[in-house]
Amino acid sequence: MAKRQSLKDLQVRLAERLTAAKSEAVTASWLAVETGGHRFLVPLVQSGEIFSWANLQAVPYTKPWYVGVASLRGGLHGVVDLGQLSGAVAAGPDARVSDRVTSESRLVSLHAALGVNAVLWIDRLLGLRNPAMFERLAESLPNAPAWFARRLIDGEGRSWQELNLQALAGDTEFLSIAA
């Protein structure tokens, strides 16, 4: 009988601890990244894996922001320069990928449910963010692409651009890579 009681007590304690943990936990909503000196918020529910920089094969006759194709975990993914695509980095005729790649460069994949085998090349990861870290909304940028969601201001006054990867995956400009 004592064993049954102690098992029941254990179950009650575990249930109480789980309830307390759920109420105290603040869940992250975004992966914070930086590219071209601009800060972006990538929704965790719309993103996939994060990869280290991989060797890629250039693809001729494509738009400047389409950097090439990389083999990641056995699958081919189009590598998109988020800096150039968003306008944070100017594309020049002499711009070379190798000049911008650093040890902090990463590839962030779009979620498989979006149906696009693509990764976003970013300059560096800045960690996870949740809504409580931001104080207010900022005005949207003029002529911003449709896949730019809200602009947020954090507690230190820095501006962050939230991305909508689902809108990006359906954007005709993004889907047509031919130059």
Side-chain angles (χ1 to χ4, degrees), residues 26-176:
V26 177
T27 58
S29 298
W30 301 288
L31 175 64
V33 302
E34 182 179 48
T35 192
H38 291 77
R39 292 176 194 85
F40 296 94
L41 298 170
V42 179
L44 289 175
V45 297
Q46 296 176 354
S47 60
E49 289 186 69
I50 300 169
F51 299 96
S52 295
W53 181 259
N55 288 331
L56 57 94
Q57 180 65 43
V59 178
Y61 309 111
T62 58
K63 294 186 177 162
W65 48 261
Y66 192 83
V67 186
V69 178
S71 176
L72 304 169
R73 293 208 197 282
L76 292 178
H77 292 73
V79 179
V80 174
D81 182 350
L82 178 60
Q84 286 190 30
L85 181 65
S86 67
V89 174
D94 297 327
R96 293 187 323 199
V97 172
S98 60
D99 293 342
R100 282 193 38 227
V101 174
T102 68
S103 62
E104 292 184 297
S105 295
R106 295 290 181 265
L107 303 172
V108 178
S109 68
L110 278 67
H111 195 283
L114 298 177
V116 179
N117 264 10
V119 293
L120 300 175
W121 167 26
I122 55 132
D123 292 340
R124 68 186 184 124
L125 296 171
L126 299 175
L128 298 174
R129 300 291 187 273
N130 64 58
M133 299 172 132
F134 297 94
E135 293 184 349
R136 66 183 192 280
L137 292 173
E139 286 188 32
S140 297
L141 296 172
N143 303 321
W147 46 274
F148 272 23
R150 307 175 289 183
R151 282 187 57 226
L152 302 164
I153 306 296
D154 67 13
E156 297 176 19
R158 296 177 299 199
S159 176
W160 295 80
Q161 178 62 59
E162 180 184 13
L163 302 179
N164 181 339
L165 298 184
Q166 185 172 6
L168 176 63
D171 185 71
T172 55
E173 176 72 15
F174 178 74
L175 295 174
S176 52

